[in-house]
Amino acid sequence: MKKALITGITGQDGSYLADLLLSKGYKVYGLKRRTATENYENVKHIKDEIDFLSGDLRDLTSLTEAVKIAKPDEVYNLAAQSYVGDSWKQPIYTGEVTGLGVTNMLEAIRLSNLNARFYQASSSEMFGKVVETPQTEKTPFYPRSPYGVAKVYGHWITVNYRESFNLFACSGILFNHESPRRGIEFVTRKVTDAVAKIKLGIQNELRLGNLDAKRDWGFAGDYVEAMWKMLQQDDPDDYVIATGETHTVKEWVQTAFNYVGLKWENYVIADPKFFRPAEVDLLIGNPQKAKGQLDWEPKVSFKNLIEMMVEEDLKRNSKK
Ligand code: NAP
Ligand code: G4F
């Protein structure tokens, strides 16, 4: 039986990846930091099938211990301070977790002499103020936030450990991916949750920032398949994972409101609080390498993704 250690198991991607690996017969260990209140929401349906190990990406001792206990064949490093907006409010913390935390995880693996394969959750935020469109594995990075800068560090330290120590280390440069398990602070889920609440009469307005930003949005369930496929190859490499389509935030908003038969202009209010000190205006990835080498393709369309999320938020909010 293969064994996998997932950091960030309580997050959106960690939970979908755990679903996938359990379905493939893996023994799954999940690194979870100590919290005063329960935060198992995304993994409550599989809680009894996962071995949770206590740890924090900033704490090498806990990572070393987790690797010692799990003896993993594969390590998926998904933990991060992942919210771009907060990375200006907590730049040092973001650097410590999202950047240096990657080195801690790599060191824990290297010092264990276990030959575990390693996946790093890199991000299209690294392209930031894009220097070419669409973005590929070869597009130079130009990060626009402390989060993006930390991810660039995490990406290059992964490449460096592969080249220095011959580790099987892959970096997935994933474009935005969403789902009903997405954190409520991200624009996609903020919108679908608000649309559901407005439809149900429990909210009457939605305050948003920049509606003109463009993102390449896919479904998280499709994207974790790509992570797993990267670690099944003969050689480690880096891959862009994207749909190859881009849409504005306004299109997301319009589509979500349309789905419940409402006009978005009647509810959305521009609020300067949600504009960022520096914006990433346009992201669109070219997933050709992943299609060719990993035989990976996204399955859920932009419209179906939004409808899936609005439906789930309608259900969730109806129960309250
Ligand atoms: P997420 O929902 O925010 O989950 C982040 C996870 O990291 C949570 O389980 C969180 O635990 C954990 N975590 C945070 N700080 C930690 C620390 N110091 N030590 C240990 N665990 C810690 O993020 P996601 O959307 O699933 O994304 C997964 C990864 O992919 C992240 O690295 C993100 O930056 C990257 N990424 C995401 C996207 C996307 O569109 N979703 C695109 C590209 C890259 P708590 O539950 O305790 O907070
Ligand atoms: O949903 P967002 O916060 O996601 P963002 O910044 O693109 O980052 C996400 O995707 C990255 C991959 O490219 C990941 F690496 C990262 O971890 C995260 O998962 O914002 C999307 C866009 C931005 O342009 C933002 O300015 O939506 C715009 N926006 C407009 N109003 C808003 C809002 N974003 C948020 N969160 N909240 C708003 O009210």
Side-chain angles (χ1 to χ4, degrees):
M1 182 191 269
K2 271 197 180 176
K3 288 174 288 176
L5 172 63
I6 302 175
T7 75
I9 190 138
T10 54
Q12 171 187 256
D13 291 8
S15 65
Y16 280 105
L17 182 64
D19 287 340
L20 178 74
L21 297 182
L22 287 170
S23 76
K24 291 185 182 296
Y26 277 65
K27 166 95 191 132
V28 175
Y29 293 85
L31 188 87
K32 189 179 175 311
R33 55 186 174 162
R34 192 256 159 195
T35 47
T37 50
E38 293 266 295
N39 66 342
Y40 289 97
E41 182 60 23
N42 284 335
V43 283
K44 60 180 186 299
H45 59 295
I46 46 174
K47 202 174 162 210
D48 296 339
E49 296 168 70
I50 296 167
D51 271 34
F52 291 97
L53 302 172
S54 180
D56 191 296
L57 272 200
R58 290 168 298 171
D59 185 283
L60 178 58
T61 307
S62 65
L63 303 182
T64 306
E65 187 63 14
V67 170
K68 202 166 128 190
I69 294 169
K71 295 189 181 49
D73 300 288
E74 297 167 10
V75 176
Y76 295 87
N77 185 39
L78 309 185
Q81 190 303 89
S82 76
Y83 184 43
V84 173
D86 268 9
S87 75
W88 281 278
K89 295 175 187 149
Q90 302 182 49
I92 296 166
Y93 172 77
T94 301
E96 282 174 2
V97 178
T98 306
L100 214 49
V102 185
T103 311
N104 282 333
M105 197 63 247
L106 284 163
E107 276 296 89
I109 295 169
R110 184 179 73 84
L111 297 170
S112 74
N113 289 320
L114 274 176
N115 268 332
R117 294 185 170 203
F118 179 77
Y119 172 86
Q120 167 57 16
S122 284
S123 165
S124 51
E125 271 292 304
M126 303 189 302
F127 298 122
K129 192 172 179 184
V130 297
V131 301
E132 102 182 322
T133 295
Q135 294 85 51
T136 73
E137 293 79 6
K138 293 199 167 71
T139 302
F141 301 139
Y142 189 151
R144 290 275 277 176
S145 63
Y147 169 84
V149 173
K151 281 287 178 188
V152 171
Y153 172 84
H155 176 82
W156 282 117
I157 199 71
T158 301
V159 173
N160 180 260
Y161 268 53
R162 178 166 78 216
E163 294 174 355
S164 306
F165 303 116
N166 205 22
L167 284 189
F168 193 109
C170 297
S171 172
I173 307 175
L174 271 54
F175 283 62
N176 298 49
H177 44 281
E178 317 295 319
S179 74
R181 299 184 199 168
R182 185 59 141 154
I184 202 83
E185 67 275 35
F186 298 94
V187 76
T188 51
R189 182 77 204 296
K190 181 175 169 180
V191 170
T192 59
D193 180 62
V195 164
K197 285 182 173 141
I198 290 169
K199 183 70 185 171
L200 295 167
I202 39 186
Q203 185 171 323
N204 50 31
E205 62 175 38
L206 168 59
R207 291 182 170 268
L208 292 173
N210 180 12
L211 298 184
D212 297 324
K214 290 180 164 176
R215 291 291 182 276
D216 179 331
W217 278 296
F219 171 53
D222 290 344
Y223 285 41
V224 299
E225 291 253 5
M227 297 176 187
W228 174 76
K229 285 187 167 203
M230 284 179 217
L231 295 200
Q232 313 313 310
Q233 301 303 300
D234 290 339
D235 298 302
D237 207 344
D238 307 322
Y239 298 88
V240 158
I241 302 298
T243 68
E245 262 184 45
T246 194
H247 297 273
T248 59
V249 173
K250 195 188 286 172
E251 283 175 81
W252 184 285
V253 172
Q254 252 163 358
T255 311
F257 275 94
N258 280 351
Y259 182 64
V260 296
L262 297 174
K263 277 186 85 121
W264 71 275
E265 295 92 330
N266 295 339
Y267 304 95
V268 173
I269 295 170
D271 188 333
K273 193 167 84 188
F274 297 109
F275 283 79
R276 294 174 176 178
E279 181 60 282
V280 171
D281 295 320
L282 163 72
L283 290 174
I284 176 166
N286 177 347
Q288 284 316 311
K289 181 175 170 184
K291 280 187 184 168
Q293 293 185 26
L294 302 179
D295 190 26
W296 176 87
E297 269 191 314
K299 298 186 191 95
V300 178
S301 71
F302 177 73
K303 189 163 173 282
N304 288 347
L305 174 61
I306 296 173
E307 292 177 359
M308 175 205 300
M309 290 173 66
V310 174
E311 278 297 336
E312 278 301 313
D313 279 323
L314 281 167
K315 273 190 225 149
R316 226 180 316 228
N317 284 300
S318 305
K319 282 187 210 144
K320 282 183 184 165

